[in-house]
Amino acid sequence: MRTNTLIVVSLGVLTLAGVAVAQDQGVQAIVGDVFLQSTTPGTSQVGHATITGTLRAGQVFVQQGSQTTIPVVGNNIAASGSTFGGSFSSASPNGTALRATATAMTGPATGIVGESRSDNGTGIHAKATNGIGLLSSVTQGVAVSATSQGGNAVVGISTSAIGVLGLNGSTTIASVIGANSATTGDAPGGSFTTGSTGGFALQGLATKTTGFSKGVVGESRSTINGEGVLGIVPNSGAGFGVHGKCLSPNGFGVFCEGNQAATGTKSFIIDHPLDPENRYLKHYCAEGPEPRNVYTGHVRTDGQGYAWVKLPDYYESVNTDPEYQLTVVDSSEDFVLVKVVQRVVAGRFRIRTSKPGVDVSWRIEAVRNDKWVRQTGHSAEPLKPDVYRGTYLNPELYGQPASRAQSRAGLRANGGGRP
């Protein structure tokens, strides 16, 4: 015959409505102290209840006014195994196994606090085999924390549904927030992974079909060297650091508001028109030490050998310092000359050929001079910011270690570093 000791910590009313008829498999032992209330039906004292078998209570209600003593405590002193400090269950399809209510209408009252003091523990473990692992339906429903280096504040596990779901109707408060208070190192505010070969670690979905909704917003408020979004793929294979796709002919797969730069070449890539199944066709962008715009076209001179070349209406508002290139297209045996006889004025320039009725191909290259360039300027040999001095965009090309990469400079300045 097994003897179990019932010890429940409280200062209040203890009501036991019934005796045990079967042992709850989820509770192996209940250990603690029994404190009786000072008024009817008993007097205040410390006692122990020793019961053979299992005690089954119809309802236990404990009430007290102490600020330090915990009304009810369930302790399991077993040093091994999957033990439980307390176990609650509900057999109803719509029931709740455990309900915790903070009744205060003001202040940071907390319904449930989950804490693990293990170096690899979990504060709250929410598990659903075919449902929601953790559901919060109030303004700030769950507040959990883990102070251990290897601990987890919240773990949601589901074999066939949503592990963690955050929902609210606020126009200003986020449904899910991941915050990391560390001031150094590569501390992630949130981390998402997938083991599927075709899966995605993070999905941002804006379901509104109107307005300027955003799937994912990445923002860095660093004034030194922040990165709004960082996309990394391994050194091998043909992956994409960032892949942007737009199905509208009027949209952009990737849009840069500001300057754009690349350490490698810039190109377009399409299926090769002569072998689309097996090869690509790549054409590379021309580079130069200053931003330039190019305009081309064809014109035919009149009976006196003159022709006006009309440029776009906006030409003079976005360009300066044009350079002219003229090529005669003529199948005769004559050697035909062509020249510019009037520079660009009022959106056009004039040319002349040495004989009339000649086709001419023309090209103008001009320095970009719109408001953006006039405000921000441009330089072919800018100095590196102080935080990047002594670092390289591609240290391996100069025989330097990866620790000299520019991407690590700001982290070192802030006292951290990528592992």
Side-chain angles (χ1 to χ4, degrees):
M1 180 177 297
R2 180 182 299 176
T3 300
N4 292 339
T5 303
L6 170 66
I7 306 176
V8 180
V9 180
S10 174
L11 286 175
V13 180
L14 178 62
T15 304
L16 302 179
V19 296
V21 295
Q23 184 173 359
D24 188 345
Q25 296 179 354
V27 180
Q28 301 299 324
I30 306 175
V31 181
D33 293 324
V34 175
F35 298 95
L36 302 181
Q37 190 213 348
S38 58
T39 58
T40 304
T43 58
S44 178
Q45 63 180 14
V46 177
H48 298 272
T50 301
I51 299 172
T52 301
T54 302
L55 174 67
R56 184 176 296 276
Q59 184 181 44
V60 176
F61 177 78
V62 180
Q63 179 174 329
Q64 71 166 11
S66 172
Q67 296 183 4
T68 57
T69 305
I70 300 175
V72 177
V73 175
N75 290 325
N76 194 319
I77 61 173
S80 61
S82 297
T83 60
F84 296 89
S87 177
F88 301 85
S89 64
S90 173
S92 170
N94 299 317
T96 301
L98 172 63
R99 176 184 176 182
T101 303
T103 60
M105 302 300 293
T106 60
T110 304
I112 293 179
V113 174
E115 177 184 355
S116 173
R117 299 180 182 180
S118 168
D119 59 359
N120 192 29
T122 301
I124 293 179
H125 183 181
K127 183 177 180 181
T129 56
N130 192 22
I132 299 174
L134 181 63
L135 173 63
S136 172
S137 58
V138 293
T139 303
Q140 185 174 336
V142 180
V144 292
S145 63
T147 58
S148 166
Q149 183 177 0
N152 300 299
V154 175
V155 174
I157 300 176
S158 175
T159 57
S160 59
I162 300 173
V164 176
L165 173 65
L167 297 172
N168 72 32
S170 171
T171 59
T172 58
I173 302 175
S175 297
V176 176
I177 295 178
N180 193 318
S181 60
T183 58
T184 60
D186 257 1
S191 179
F192 301 85
T193 62
T194 179
S196 170
T197 55
F200 40 87
L202 172 63
Q203 179 184 18
L205 179 62
T207 58
K208 191 69 175 179
T209 57
T210 59
F212 197 70
S213 57
K214 304 167 185 65
V216 175
V217 174
E219 177 183 355
S220 173
R221 299 184 180 180
S222 170
T223 59
I224 302 176
N225 66 330
E227 296 172 342
V229 175
L230 174 64
I232 300 176
V233 294
N235 294 330
S236 59
F240 302 93
V242 175
H243 183 180
K245 184 177 182 179
C246 180
L247 302 180
S248 169
N250 299 319
F252 301 92
V254 175
F255 179 81
C256 176
E257 186 175 338
N259 296 329
Q260 181 180 0
T263 58
T265 59
K266 296 186 286 292
S267 62
F268 79 75
I269 180 171
I270 61 174
D271 294 322
H272 198 292
L274 303 182
D275 189 7
E277 292 187 1
N278 302 301
R279 298 170 62 191
Y280 294 122
L281 177 65
K282 293 181 71 174
H283 278 191
Y284 296 89
C285 299
E287 310 290 351
E290 58 187 359
R292 299 179 72 86
N293 295 320
V294 177
Y295 305 87
T296 63
H298 302 273
V299 69
R300 185 178 181 85
T301 58
D302 59 19
Q304 286 74 43
Y306 290 95
W308 284 100
V309 177
K310 189 177 187 309
L311 297 170
D313 295 339
Y314 56 80
Y315 170 83
E316 289 174 289
S317 64
V318 297
N319 293 285
T320 187
D321 299 333
E323 295 180 356
Y324 307 85
Q325 298 180 26
L326 304 174
T327 303
V328 172
V329 181
D330 183 62
S331 60
S332 70
E333 295 296 327
D334 299 332
F335 186 77
V336 182
L337 301 177
V338 63
K339 65 177 182 178
V340 175
V341 295
Q342 184 174 326
R343 297 175 182 273
V344 175
V345 177
R348 65 177 186 169
F349 67 97
R350 197 179 190 191
I351 68 171
R352 180 184 179 184
T353 54
S354 59
K355 78 173 188 178
V358 175
D359 291 327
V360 177
S361 294
W362 60 268
R363 174 187 175 98
I364 280 188
E365 287 192 19
V367 178
R368 180 179 165 186
N369 193 43
D370 57 87
K371 290 184 178 181
W372 174 270
V373 174
R374 289 198 298 268
Q375 179 176 336
T376 61
H378 65 273
S379 174
E381 299 178 283
L383 292 174
K384 293 183 178 181
D386 291 342
V387 70
Y388 292 144
R389 297 286 176 87
T391 66
Y392 301 79
L393 291 171
N394 300 103
E396 67 281 0
L397 301 180
Y398 297 89
Q400 299 294 325
S403 59
R404 300 289 296 278
Q406 177 174 299
S407 59
R408 298 172 180 262
L411 293 171
R412 289 198 303 272
N414 292 329
R418 285 192 173 95

